Amino acid sequence: MKNYPNPFNGQTVIPFDLTRSMPVKLEVFSATGERIVTLVDETLNAGRHQAIWDSRNENGLTVGSGIYFYKLQSNQQVMYEKMILVK
């Protein structure tokens, strides 16, 4: 599942489904590969989940407009998707 809205201004929702309980890590990266923030890093139960990225980095500072990627990693898969932040 892809984030929505995309492009976005301010915040975007990243939905994902798990078929069983497992560790999940969801991180946001800049176009240059710099890690911006970790949104999820825990074991989650099976089912539908979502994380909201509010355009802030690990220090709580708002990042600039541009292309970002999120990486969703679990026992089942590693998935990358592109997001566009427009201010």
Side-chain angles (χ1 to χ4, degrees):
M1 301 183 108
K2 296 186 181 219
N3 66 299
Y4 62 89
N6 191 20
F8 67 99
N9 179 347
Q11 73 178 27
T12 188
V13 177
I14 302 169
F16 57 97
D17 295 316
L18 299 176
T19 58
R20 57 185 171 83
S21 179
M22 67 183 71
V24 173
K25 191 167 193 174
L26 177 58
E27 299 170 290
V28 176
F29 294 88
S30 71
T32 61
E34 175 188 4
R35 188 176 56 79
I36 303 298
V37 67
T38 301
L39 299 175
V40 178
D41 189 6
E42 62 184 293
T43 298
L44 298 175
N45 292 326
R48 177 156 288 185
H49 300 273
Q50 68 179 27
I52 297 173
W53 183 41
D54 62 0
S55 307
R56 297 181 189 271
N57 64 17
E58 292 282 1
N59 298 319
L61 302 173
T62 303
V63 299
S65 296
I67 296 173
Y68 294 88
F69 295 88
Y70 64 87
K71 176 184 175 184
L72 178 63
Q73 186 173 357
S74 69
N75 290 347
Q76 294 177 315
Q77 66 183 352
V78 176
M79 181 181 77
Y80 296 89
E81 292 291 344
K82 180 170 75 171
M83 308 182 282
I84 301 173
L85 172 59
V86 180
K87 292 190 176 191

